[in-house]
Amino acid sequence: EDQVTQSPEALRLQEGESSSLNCSYTVSGLRGLFWYRQDPGKGPEFLFTLYSAGEEKEKERLKATLTKKESFLHITAPKPEDSATYLCAVEDYGGSQGNLIFGKGTKLSVKP
Amino acid sequence: EPEVTQTPSHQVTQMGQEVILRCVPISNHLYFYWYRQILGQKVEFLVSFYNNEISEKSEIFDDQFSVERPDGSNFTLKIRSTKLEDSAMYFCASSSVAGVYEQYFGPGTRLTVT
């Protein structure tokens, strides 16, 4: 059973069309939840860390929120340059410190 | 802005050969990691390293794998006898603190085993 499930697998938006990506997780205790952006053939690029339910963080057109079971990455008025795969990862108190458990990602395409 | 660097960007090797993948973590970071991503699949944790020894390793990190910090800047992953299934992107990451601190990833090394 996957500990981190991301949906949808792929999302196609028109430029300016806001939407949300979901990350649901199952852990014994959440140390932290991380959002990364990954461009094709590149390494994950850090976006946000969330530690506790109710926490929110923003960066430009992106806003990440966290509940006890899931996180959302809200994209407001996206631009074509926001096209990438967005990865969610968790660190579990029941696991190794520093061992990030990744989801499969959501591939976002933004058309002009 | 400081960044993690990795060399080579692409390595092609024959099955059974040894490969060494190299990483230069961010200079003031103390914790180092290797992950791999098989094409089309999730990023998977391999190993974490602190104070010149392995902190944690996954089931994937078997006796064929080893890590080393040969000097003050480099961090290496060695695969002793490569298999076809070792073909993947290998990412190095580093963080300033262990646990719940963001890990910064390098651009990756694409390993192709033929």
Side-chain angles (χ1 to χ4, degrees):
Chain A
E1 181 182 334
D2 284 351
Q3 287 185 267
V4 181
T5 303
Q6 292 188 247
S7 62
E9 289 185 10
L11 181 63
R12 303 182 80 169
L13 300 174
Q14 288 296 126
E15 184 172 2
E17 179 186 3
S18 302
S19 188
S20 296
L21 282 54
N22 177 264
C23 171
S24 61
Y25 60 89
T26 306
V27 294
S28 55
L30 183 69
R31 276 204 184 106
L33 185 141
F34 304 82
W35 282 99
Y36 285 86
R37 168 189 171 130
Q38 186 175 30
D39 292 300
K42 302 291 176 77
E45 175 189 343
F46 172 76
L47 294 173
F48 304 109
T49 310
L50 301 167
Y51 298 102
S52 56
E55 190 174 0
E56 299 182 352
K57 288 196 177 170
E58 285 187 69
K59 179 181 179 180
E60 296 180 354
R61 295 177 292 281
L62 301 177
K63 179 180 175 181
T65 61
L66 181 65
T67 72
K68 288 185 178 179
K69 293 185 178 181
E70 58 191 349
S71 176
F72 291 93
L73 184 66
H74 307 278
I75 303 177
T76 302
K79 297 182 178 181
E81 54 261 42
D82 294 322
S83 297
T85 296
Y86 290 86
L87 304 177
C88 172
V90 299
E91 193 172 334
D92 183 354
Y93 270 115
S96 311
Q97 199 171 43
N99 173 359
L100 296 184
I101 303 166
F102 281 84
K104 292 180 180 177
T106 293
K107 184 174 181 180
L108 174 67
S109 299
V110 182
K111 301 297 183 187
Chain B
E1 184 176 325
E3 59 182 18
V4 177
T5 59
Q6 290 185 243
T7 54
S9 57
H10 190 191
Q11 174 90 47
V12 181
T13 189
Q14 289 190 326
M15 195 167 50
Q17 296 297 304
E18 174 183 288
V19 294
I20 297 176
L21 309 183
R22 303 180 192 280
C23 167
V24 179
I26 293 172
S27 62
N28 63 343
H29 284 185
L30 301 175
Y31 296 85
F32 314 117
Y33 312 87
W34 284 102
Y35 290 81
R36 80 171 186 189
Q37 186 176 31
I38 295 171
L39 187 63
Q41 297 188 25
K42 292 188 281 190
V43 176
E44 300 174 288
F45 170 79
L46 292 178
V47 65
S48 59
F49 190 87
Y50 168 70
N51 200 26
N52 282 319
E53 60 182 27
I54 290 174
S55 303
E56 302 286 349
K57 59 183 180 179
S58 71
E59 293 177 351
I60 302 168
F61 195 89
D62 61 21
D63 292 342
Q64 296 294 321
F65 292 89
S66 62
V67 290
E68 191 178 37
R69 187 152 165 83
D71 53 43
S73 59
N74 289 284
F75 179 49
T76 63
L77 174 69
K78 181 192 290 186
I79 309 174
R80 286 189 186 83
S81 178
T82 51
K83 306 170 192 171
L84 293 176
E85 54 264 37
D86 293 327
S87 295
M89 281 288 281
Y90 287 81
F91 296 110
C92 173
S94 69
S95 65
S96 55
V97 180
V100 233
Y101 261 69
E102 51 267 26
Q103 296 179 22
Y104 291 90
F105 284 73
T109 292
R110 178 169 298 284
L111 177 65
T112 302
V113 183
T114 62

